[in-house]
Amino acid sequence: MTAVLQIVFDALSLGSLYALGALGIAAVFGVMRLVNFAHGDFIAFCVFAMLLPSVDATAIVFAGQLPFYLLIPLLLLVGAGLSMLSEVIVFRRFRNANPATMMIASFALGFVIRHLLLLLYSSRPKSITLWPSLGLPVEFLGAHIPMLQVVTIIITLVVLAVLVLFLKHTRYGLEMRAAAENFTMARMLGVRANGVILLAFAISGMLAAAIGLILATNSGTADIGMGANVMLIAFIATVIGGLGSVPGAVAAGFLIGAASVVFQATLPHDARVFRDAFVYGAVIVVLLVRPQGLFAPKSAKQRV
Amino acid sequence: MRFDRIRFDRILGILAGAATLWFAPAHAADEIVVGFATAASGFMQAYDKPAQDAALIRIDEINKAGGLLGKKIKPVFADTKTDQAEGAKAGLAVLDQGAELVIVSCDYDFGAPAALQAQAAGKVSFFLCAESIKAGIPGVGPSSFSASVLAAVQGATMSEWAYNKKNARTFYRLLDSWTVYNKGICDGFDWQMPHLKDAKLVGSDTFKNDDASIASQITRIKSLPKEPDAIMLCTMMPGAVSAIKQIRAAGIKSMILNGSGVDGSYWLNAVPDLSNFYVPVQGSVYGDDPNPKVNEFNKKYKDVTGGDPSSQYVYPGYVLIDVWAKAVERAKTTDAAGVVAELEKMNNEPTLFGPRTFTKDLHHQNQGRYLIVDTEAGKPKVVDQWTISEKIPVDYLVSK
Amino acid sequence: MSRPPSVIRQTIVTPIILIVVLLAMAALSYQFGSRAFNRTAIEMFINIMVVVGLYAFVGNSGLLSFGHISFMCLGAYMTAWLTIPPVMKSITLKGLPAWLLHTQLPMWVATPISGVFAALFALIVGRIIMRLSGIAASIATFGLLGVVNNVYSNWDSVTGGQGSIVGIPPTMNVWIGWLGAAVAIVTAYLYSISRSGLALRAARDEEVAARASGVDIVRERLVAFVVSAFIIGLAGAFYAHFLSIVNPGSFYLRTTFITLSMLVVGGMYSLSGAVAGVVAISVLIELFRDLEKGVSVGGLTVGLPNGAQEIAIGIITIVILIYLPSGLTRNREFSWRNWPLQRRRLVPPVQTALKETN
């Protein structure tokens, strides 16, 4: 029983990370059909923003020493700022471009950010100590669960709740939903395109910062490539969740996290190194069964 | 439309122009050129640079003491950009500048392309600190060497030491399947285990360096009836920190045995009050090496580079120039054949950072003296040294 | 090739121009370049093979594929299995079947086999994946890349795992590289003027109309998938001979995105675009590499910091895409008529790669 409970918590916490990532991708995709491959590098950037640039092995913590009630808003601001800046400088110029062109542009932007970090900080991972008390285990129905897992799950649920409230009950949320449903029509009806898109980027950037914080707390390190893995899984989750569907993206994020944990827990030892092959294989199977995604929005029907 | 025609003309022009830039400068006859085909940018830069600095310190020492065979050593550099194809080009670039010795990237995969070029040109190549058996005869050819000690020796050393000195009997093996280095540590551990009477492997699992969380692997350890005495953790940076942090966060108190890849204090404050944590090192960067000359070197390194050595991977660079220069002195030539023959005669040749042995079959160390660094309450210090009782057979290593 | 000779006569110039220009580059590099520069040229030719292979599928079908680098992996490892001396294989790759373990073939035999092997694999997985369209297909190809990389990285006894396998004869030179690029260009050209290629492009631009005209889209996509896998399999074989070591890390995300960038920068719907993208980016990379090494100005060497090259290339890519969203060639082909670019039944770049979902 405790073992099962432990697995459930493992799956939930990993799934939470993926779900937050998928949300960040889906927010932008919804309004401008852009798969933002720079999202992973946004995550890394937010983490490195806590350090002073230095190629020395020992990190010089800059913002990381702030109390949490200052650090968290600051980092969310950094994420939102970077994300909005990228929209203003880069993506705004791709409004009418082919999605493949946009995708490659976002990849190139991520490439630039990554190599900039590399130049400023070198590739050696830097240590960051954030809230060591979160590393302590708590006991829950006989299972020992690291505090951070619980916090991660709670944060994800809170973020989801806030986002749902925002989308359902505010004017901006309504505009965003309208834009995601049918962008041209929304514009005709007076939704300001640039405003909505900028808002989507801000939300996406804040989600990147949140993931960065969780990853940094969990691993205790800042590493150039730390966002890449989450970004990839989040991208896949967005698609199998049904592109444009926010609840779908979240559900698929949790599903992939759960699949990964369950494969790790149940595969025989020699097959465990092939875990990712099983996960990707499962993704292909899901796509074959539901090509429009698990929770495709009605608008996703192809039109002639 | 004309734009496109101009573009092609321009491309041809640039190609031709670039080509003329590529004339190799001639070097003076009273110099011996040593080429560094290492990463000055990209991921490997952080690992190549420190060892390269140490090598340059040794070169400087030799030059100040009158040079090698009466000639000054002149280092030349080419950036591999942490890319295999660029690595081969960097190898050629330093060879074209007359390099007698080609020093290549720390990692086998990234160093091999340049080393293969050196091998084809009939020159000696040295890996800065690669710890795979392939970094040498099997993976490059008969003129290639590595200055470090095999990863397998680290795994074997830690398990034998923990068995003898810490009375560890139950072991758990946790492998990060990301790199060959990681697998190498666990290979050494696997080889050692049957030699340890009534030591028992109670479990085994794998993870991947960039896994966002290793919670399920930890759950597996926690579901054991009894916590193992020791966890053999075969991993490296950056994932190592995350794994260690998560293991301790889950309340697992077993001793953690590692490879040298996690040496260094720069990451320790990520895991507050880390204890019962053991790392094998060739020399101590913590100022407490039993050999005072190592501590002197650390000081010199700081004077030259402005920072303390970040980990033990600084040292192989120094060893490399040291043993190569000795071989050149003895062979009285820099020709590959003579130098290789002298290197292969070295048997427990003393260096600042432990003895080195090269043979006709193995241009690497399958046994080596290691200092054991114990970290208690976040403070690392040398507590012991250990040399595995038996050499790990070359056949076993090559077949892995 | 149902409508020769008119299609051929109209379009044959494109591959000829491309091949001749590349030949000139090979000759210049051979004549004036250092050994290291020649390796840059070979690398460029191999990249041309990969990107032209990508074009054969992406350009004709309009589906963006993230999985094609896995064919490069397949081709490279097959070449490694076929050309490494049996003595070395029997130590490191013990899991190979006996007949493969004891075979050693020359490059000229092993390379086509590698291409065919990749094509066969594509035929099998393509039958499943090609049933999908739009972004679902892109993600499925991505899954394919993940599966192949994971298997090749961990099947130690057959692929040597994460580590490199060594011993592939280093037989590449700039002429063979050029030949490879020429073969890739000719193959892709022949496919794009074939009945299947024309049908697939029709389906790319007007799916419903094409379907109504009896085009079996899944089948034509599969043909394109197999042809492009063959070309990229060949490129993988050449890459193995070029580096003489292979490891799975070379055939993963980095290579996938860099080759895709080259294709999009050049113009993803034209063969000339595929080649021009590789050439342009390769030249730029080389230029910035020289700037990093430093330029002598009056006895003083001024250089960019190491690592600035990657940043510059990223920024230039973005700038090119901003001003030329359909690539350097604007999806057109090189041709004599209306020199140098001819509108060949040009269609506006439709958003098929990621089907608009609303």
Side-chain angles (χ1 to χ4, degrees):
Chain A
M1 182 56 212
T2 51
V4 174
L5 194 69
Q6 203 106 41
I7 289 175
V8 168
F9 263 92
D10 294 347
L12 276 178
S13 64
L14 188 62
S16 295
L17 264 183
Y18 293 157
L20 286 176
L23 263 181
I25 305 273
V28 169
F29 187 89
V31 292
M32 69 177 291
R33 297 290 173 267
L34 161 71
V35 177
N36 185 7
F37 275 105
H39 198 70
D41 301 291
F42 286 2
I43 295 174
F45 184 93
C46 292
V47 175
F48 276 93
M50 289 188 273
L51 306 171
L52 282 182
S54 151
V55 292
D56 289 341
T58 315
I60 305 162
V61 178
F62 161 60
Q65 281 163 337
L66 295 173
F68 75 95
Y69 51 86
L70 287 179
L71 177 64
I72 293 175
L74 180 73
L75 226 53
L76 292 180
L77 224 63
V78 168
L82 175 71
S83 188
M84 283 154 72
L85 205 65
S86 72
E87 141 68 7
V88 173
I89 296 178
V90 178
F91 295 120
R92 185 159 290 184
R93 293 164 215 284
F94 287 94
R95 282 289 190 272
N96 297 313
N98 183 322
T101 307
M102 274 202 286
M103 199 187 275
I104 295 300
S106 76
F107 165 70
L109 176 69
F111 195 73
V112 170
I113 296 176
R114 197 175 327 139
H115 281 91
L116 201 65
L117 291 177
L118 208 51
L119 203 64
L120 292 176
Y121 294 91
S122 100
S123 64
R124 207 180 273 278
K126 315 265 178 179
S127 74
I128 296 181
T129 319
L130 291 173
W131 311 304
S133 56
L134 288 184
L136 301 174
V138 289
E139 208 172 307
F140 183 78
L141 297 178
H144 288 269
I145 292 144
M147 192 61 195
L148 184 65
Q149 279 194 5
V150 182
V151 173
T152 306
I153 297 167
I154 293 172
I155 289 178
T156 308
L157 294 179
V158 169
V159 166
L160 282 179
V162 169
L163 213 61
V164 167
L165 286 177
F166 173 80
L167 287 175
K168 294 251 156 154
H169 296 288
T170 67
R171 182 191 155 78
Y172 294 111
L174 187 71
E175 287 187 357
M176 272 190 77
R177 281 192 298 143
E181 193 80 14
N182 188 332
F183 196 79
T184 324
M185 181 61 83
R187 281 192 79 165
M188 307 257 182
L189 295 174
V191 172
R192 283 150 305 165
N194 284 346
V196 164
I197 290 176
L198 209 56
L199 186 66
F201 268 96
I203 292 174
S204 169
M206 282 194 256
L207 286 165
I211 296 173
L213 268 174
I214 294 172
L215 281 180
T217 317
N218 195 32
S219 69
T221 44
D223 174 55
I224 307 285
M226 66 192 303
N229 190 24
V230 175
M231 152 68 215
L232 283 181
I233 302 285
F235 171 43
I236 294 171
T238 316
V239 174
I240 64 172
L243 269 172
S245 158
V246 168
V250 173
F254 276 110
L255 260 180
I256 296 183
S260 186
V261 167
V262 169
F263 278 130
Q264 182 71 35
T266 55
L267 285 175
H269 179 263
D270 289 336
R272 255 175 255 159
V273 288
F274 297 108
R275 180 198 68 202
D276 289 359
F278 283 95
V279 174
Y280 286 121
V283 166
I284 296 179
V285 171
V286 168
L287 284 172
L288 287 171
V289 179
R290 296 288 302 258
Q292 293 291 348
L294 293 171
F295 307 89
K298 285 195 204 81
S299 62
K301 293 263 160 53
Q302 259 167 266
R303 291 184 190 149
V304 175
Chain B
M1 289 289 152
R2 189 161 295 146
F3 166 76
D4 293 88
R5 179 162 47 172
I6 293 169
R7 199 185 67 241
F8 258 97
D9 296 344
R10 202 181 287 161
I11 288 165
L12 292 181
I14 290 167
L15 269 180
T20 55
L21 288 174
W22 286 79
F23 286 113
H27 66 277
D30 58 345
E31 283 174 342
I32 294 175
V33 179
V34 168
F36 287 86
T38 50
S41 55
F43 177 79
M44 284 305 294
Q45 184 267 348
Y47 302 89
D48 282 1
K49 181 78 176 17
Q52 178 172 318
D53 286 340
L56 291 173
I57 289 174
R58 185 67 192 128
I59 287 177
D60 194 50
E61 285 175 359
I62 292 172
N63 282 343
K64 283 202 177 119
L68 192 58
L69 306 177
K71 299 177 186 174
K72 290 266 184 272
I73 302 177
K74 182 190 166 204
V76 296
F77 308 92
D79 183 6
T80 67
K81 303 197 84 70
T82 315
D83 180 274
Q84 289 185 317
E86 293 287 341
K89 281 188 237 166
L92 285 173
V94 296
L95 286 167
D96 283 346
Q97 295 180 63
E100 293 293 342
L101 165 68
V102 178
I103 296 168
V104 303
S105 215
C106 230
D107 178 76
Y108 171 74
D109 291 335
F110 289 112
L116 285 166
Q117 297 299 335
Q119 182 69 40
K123 302 290 180 192
V124 177
S125 62
F126 250 103
F127 286 82
L128 267 178
C129 52
E131 296 180 334
S132 154
I133 180 90
K134 287 185 190 148
I137 304 170
V140 179
S143 314
S144 183
F145 295 80
S146 174
S148 198
V149 181
L150 286 165
V153 178
Q154 297 162 20
T157 303
M158 290 320 287
S159 45
E160 196 181 44
W161 176 80
Y163 176 88
N164 282 300
K165 293 294 191 77
K166 288 278 165 183
N167 228 1
R169 288 297 177 270
T170 54
F171 290 84
Y172 192 90
R173 174 185 184 273
L174 186 53
L175 167 67
D176 161 11
S177 61
W178 195 43
T179 61
V180 182
Y181 166 75
N182 300 342
K183 285 182 182 161
I185 304 172
C186 270
D187 287 343
F189 170 80
D190 293 345
W191 172 81
Q192 187 66 265
M193 278 305 278
H195 294 70
L196 308 176
K197 205 170 145 291
D198 57 60
K200 196 162 157 260
L201 185 68
V202 292
S204 182
D205 205 352
T206 59
F207 69 106
K208 248 178 91 190
N209 202 282
D210 58 355
D211 279 347
S213 154
I214 61 161
S216 42
Q217 287 82 350
I218 286 168
T219 301
R220 195 183 294 275
I221 302 179
K222 297 208 59 139
S223 61
L224 291 172
K226 193 173 151 282
E227 207 168 69
D229 294 337
I231 296 172
M232 182 78 231
L233 182 61
C234 308
T235 182
M236 65 188 290
M237 295 300 170
V241 184
S242 173
I244 294 159
K245 192 174 160 94
Q246 292 177 59
I247 290 174
R248 284 298 186 243
I252 297 170
K253 302 212 166 47
S254 311
M255 61 191 293
I256 301 180
L257 309 174
N258 301 271
S260 306
V262 297
D263 182 39
S265 58
Y266 60 91
W267 59 271
L268 281 177
N269 56 6
V271 193
D273 292 329
L274 178 64
S275 291
N276 215 9
F277 183 82
Y278 301 89
V279 184
V281 298
Q282 295 171 36
S284 167
V285 297
Y286 309 106
D288 59 350
D289 198 286
N291 183 351
K293 286 203 172 136
V294 171
N295 300 324
E296 271 170 45
F297 168 83
N298 289 346
K299 209 173 147 289
K300 192 179 237 166
Y301 182 89
K302 186 166 188 176
D303 292 343
V304 173
T305 65
D308 291 314
S310 51
S311 83
Q312 67 119 30
Y313 283 101
V314 167
Y315 303 138
Y318 187 90
V319 171
L320 178 171
I321 298 292
D322 198 43
V323 293
W324 176 76
K326 273 183 192 158
V328 170
E329 287 286 357
R330 288 172 198 166
K332 299 190 175 56
T333 171
T334 55
D335 286 349
V339 176
V340 170
E342 281 303 327
L343 279 166
E344 284 173 352
K345 282 183 204 153
M346 288 184 178
N347 187 7
N348 280 326
E349 183 78 25
T351 76
L352 266 188
F353 307 101
R356 289 293 186 274
T357 303
F358 298 108
T359 66
K360 280 211 157 10
D361 307 317
L362 184 66
H363 289 175
H364 217 307
Q365 311 302 313
N366 57 348
Q367 187 180 33
R369 181 225 58 166
Y370 266 111
L371 303 176
I372 310 292
V373 170
D374 174 13
T375 301
E376 294 298 333
K379 292 273 172 296
K381 79 175 193 292
V382 177
V383 290
D384 202 353
Q385 49 181 306
W386 193 260
T387 305
I388 44 173
S389 49
E390 238 181 280
K391 290 185 173 178
I392 305 180
V394 177
D395 294 345
Y396 172 83
L397 292 165
V398 173
S399 73
K400 273 293 164 183
Chain C
M1 272 170 275
S2 61
R3 288 193 293 144
S6 64
V7 175
I8 292 190
R9 205 177 301 149
Q10 272 180 27
T11 56
I12 186 77
V13 193
T14 303
I16 293 178
I17 293 178
L18 293 174
I19 290 171
V20 169
V21 169
L22 293 181
L23 181 63
M25 286 182 175
L28 277 175
S29 164
Y30 183 77
Q31 195 62 35
F32 299 110
S34 67
R35 289 189 292 173
F37 187 83
N38 271 293
R39 286 192 71 88
T40 307
I42 300 171
E43 206 186 342
M44 181 183 84
F45 286 130
I46 294 174
N47 278 331
I48 288 179
M49 295 176 74
V50 177
V51 176
V52 165
L54 266 174
Y55 155 78
F57 179 75
V58 177
N60 289 311
S61 74
L63 294 175
L64 203 57
S65 167
F66 295 107
H68 272 69
I69 297 304
S70 54
F71 302 130
M72 198 177 172
C73 183
L74 256 51
Y77 272 87
M78 183 43 90
T79 281
W81 292 331
L82 290 173
T83 60
I84 294 178
V87 190
M88 294 175 78
K89 276 192 282 194
S90 57
I91 301 168
T92 49
L93 305 173
K94 286 190 295 268
L96 286 177
W99 57 271
L100 196 54
L101 204 55
H102 300 299
T103 323
Q104 188 182 11
L105 298 174
M107 181 182 184
W108 296 113
V109 186
T111 303
I113 295 179
S114 305
V116 170
F117 174 65
L120 276 178
F121 180 75
L123 184 65
I124 297 166
V125 296
R127 293 189 81 91
I128 305 166
I129 294 181
M130 287 305 114
R131 284 169 23 203
L132 297 167
S133 8
I135 195 161
S138 299
I139 298 296
T141 57
F142 191 88
L144 175 69
L145 180 73
V147 172
V148 169
N149 182 268
N150 187 254
V151 169
Y152 272 70
S153 299
N154 290 294
W155 198 1
D156 293 5
S157 62
V158 172
T159 63
Q162 292 283 1
S164 306
I165 45 180
V166 278
I168 305 150
T171 45
M172 281 299 284
N173 63 38
V174 62
W175 303 115
I176 302 179
W178 169 78
L179 188 67
V183 167
I185 290 171
V186 169
T187 313
Y189 167 72
L190 288 179
Y191 174 73
S192 66
I193 62 162
S194 72
R195 184 188 180 82
S196 169
L198 292 170
L200 190 56
R201 279 207 301 287
R204 175 193 83 190
D205 297 338
E206 282 298 340
E207 185 174 332
V208 179
R211 220 183 267 281
S213 319
V215 172
D216 181 350
I217 299 179
V218 175
R219 190 176 152 268
E220 310 308 351
R221 271 186 197 152
L222 183 60
V223 177
F225 198 62
V226 171
V227 170
S228 66
F230 173 72
I231 298 174
I232 294 181
L234 292 184
F238 277 21
Y239 188 80
H241 283 290
F242 171 63
L243 271 188
S244 85
I245 66 173
V246 289
N247 59 321
S250 316
F251 310 107
Y252 202 40
L253 296 173
R254 188 184 144 90
T255 316
T256 299
F257 280 110
I258 286 178
T259 49
L260 273 178
S261 301
M262 288 172 165
L263 179 64
V264 173
V265 163
M268 62 191 279
Y269 294 146
S270 84
L271 181 59
S272 312
V275 178
V278 181
V279 173
I281 293 203
S282 305
V283 169
L284 282 170
I285 289 178
E286 202 50 33
L287 209 67
F288 279 99
R289 287 229 55 189
D290 283 342
L291 290 179
E292 269 185 3
K293 277 186 210 131
V295 182
S296 291
V297 184
L300 204 74
T301 311
V302 188
L304 294 171
N306 283 313
Q309 174 236 305
E310 285 87 349
I311 296 174
I313 293 295
I315 293 175
I316 291 176
T317 303
I318 295 174
V319 171
I320 291 178
L321 292 179
I322 287 176
Y323 291 103
L324 295 165
S326 45
L328 293 172
T329 59
R330 280 167 276 172
N331 288 333
R332 281 171 255 179
E333 300 288 5
F334 295 115
S335 165
W336 290 132
R337 239 168 285 175
N338 303 335
W339 169 265
L341 284 177
Q342 181 214 17
R343 274 172 176 267
R344 201 222 286 170
R345 250 167 283 127
L346 179 72
V347 282
V350 282
Q351 310 206 332
T352 28
L354 265 177
K355 204 90 188 171
E356 268 277 17
T357 46
N358 66 346

